[in-house]
Every structure is written in structure tokens, then in C-alpha cells.
Amino acid sequence: MMILDHLAVSGATLDAATDAIESALGVRLQPGGQHPVFGTHNQLLGLEDGLYLEAIAIDPAAPAPDRPRWFDLDRRTGPARLTNWICRSEDLTTLLPDLRPEVGRPIALTRGALAWDMVVPDDGVLPFDNMHPALIQWRCADHPAQMLAPSGCRLHRLTVAHPQAATLQSLLKAFLKDDRVAFETADAPGLCATFDTPHGQRTLE
């Protein structure tokens, strides 16, 4: 099974990704940290229902990794935007054989007290133009969302748009049961998330 875990906004810089979230939702993010394996860094926002938002970008102070970066960050262009959704599994070993091989392979990662396995494609590009969810399995006592201050924000709806949205939905329906996630056939791939916030309903895309 897959459970919606978090959403990622990527930018040319971490400031740009952070500003995109803070401007859209009207709340402040908290410091995150570095990911040495992929040469990236992040900031975080705790959401209700055990979810969180991640602002992520290439870390200019980190050495270049020896493999393509996750979330297709090596090819990203344009303004900061919502680029990825991440689902967790309690057993990636059992789940992965039922998915397309281009979803990737698990890589063991750590950051401070956090430890997890992340499924990353060899080229950094997820299927369906990165609209397929990235997959994660946490291997630590506490989930990151439990460590974040409440923001008063709750995910209302995540819309996954793609020309082959129906195919993607069909591939995932046996594993993901979440009424907040909708699939929409569209000419161009993209994600749009609607949140209930202290300032009313806000949209991030």
C-alpha cells in the first residue's frame, strides 16, 4: 500500500522554493537540512493529518553528486513550483515488483536522526513526466511531520494532471486509497494542491 507522505516544491534556489510556499499559503517554513548524497537542501512546513510540505533545491555549497539528482532537479527550469508528491510504504521490497521498473530503486539515506529509503530512478526522472509519486520508507522512530510546529494548514485536494492521467490512476488504484488525490486528463503534466489555511483556502501549483 501507499500512503500520501509529503509534497515537494522545487526551485532554482532554496529561497525561491521557500518563498513560493510562504507567499501562497501565508505561513512560515522551518529549517530543514542537507542531503549530501544528492547535493540538495530543504526547508519544511508541518501540515495537519501527519503530512508536510518540503521546499527543495540544489545546494550550491555541496559537491556535485555522482548520480543524477532526485526530483529531476538537474533539469528543472523556470519559477519555483509544486513538482512532486511522495508516498510512503511500510514495505518497499513487496511493493516495487508490482510497479514499473523505471520508478527506480531504493537508496538508503540519513539526515540527523532521520533515516529512510527513497526510491529514485537512475536518471532522476519519474514516470509520467514526474507525475508518478516518488516512494519512501521511513526507518526511524519519529516521522518528520511529528517534529514540525503546527502551521494550521491542511491539504484539501491534490490534483495530478497529465495527458495519460487515466493510465496513471489505473496503475496506482490498487495501492493508493486517498480521496484527497484526484487525477485529471490535461495537455500538460502538472500538480495543483489546495489547502485549508488560517487565511482561508489557498492554492499551490
Side-chain angles (χ1 to χ4, degrees):
M1 294 296 293
M2 300 178 185
I3 300 172
L4 185 60
D5 190 83
H6 66 281
L7 307 177
V9 171
S10 67
T13 66
L14 185 56
D15 283 347
T18 299
D19 288 346
I21 296 173
E22 293 182 344
S23 297
L25 304 187
V27 293
R28 298 295 300 273
L29 272 67
Q30 295 178 231
Q34 287 75 36
H35 313 110
V37 171
F38 290 101
T40 60
H41 55 171
N42 67 0
Q43 294 203 69
L44 306 169
L45 178 73
L47 303 173
E48 301 294 327
D49 305 317
L51 302 179
Y52 69 96
L53 260 172
E54 174 182 31
I56 190 167
I58 292 172
D59 183 354
D66 60 2
R67 56 163 297 146
R69 290 179 175 90
W70 51 8
F71 300 137
D72 201 13
L73 283 172
D74 291 315
R75 301 192 311 161
R76 76 152 315 282
T77 58
R81 65 187 187 279
L82 182 62
T83 52
N84 295 90
W85 57 305
I86 299 88
C87 292
R88 71 178 179 270
S89 170
E90 299 302 321
D91 188 355
L92 288 174
T93 302
T94 300
L95 175 64
L96 285 175
D98 292 325
L99 301 176
R100 294 186 175 186
E102 57 266 34
V103 170
R105 54 189 175 86
I107 297 175
L109 300 166
T110 61
R111 182 172 70 79
L114 299 175
W116 69 100
D117 291 342
M118 190 81 177
V119 179
V120 182
D122 289 339
D123 62 358
V125 184
L126 285 156
F128 295 90
D129 302 293
N130 291 305
M131 293 299 97
H132 192 289
L135 301 174
I136 192 169
Q137 182 175 353
W138 293 102
R139 298 194 179 279
C140 45
D142 295 321
H143 187 272
Q146 298 174 298
M147 306 175 188
L148 298 171
S151 67
C153 297
R154 171 180 275 111
L155 177 67
H156 178 76
R157 177 63 60 91
L158 172 66
T159 301
V160 182
H162 192 274
Q164 296 176 301
T167 302
L168 177 57
Q169 182 178 18
S170 179
L171 289 171
L172 298 177
K173 67 180 180 181
F175 311 105
L176 179 68
K177 311 293 183 184
D178 194 324
D179 293 338
R180 297 169 298 183
V181 181
F183 296 85
E184 180 180 284
T185 301
D187 292 337
L191 298 174
C192 178
T194 304
F195 298 88
D196 298 320
T197 81
H199 315 290
Q201 198 164 85
R202 299 286 186 91
T203 298
L204 182 62
E205 56 185 2

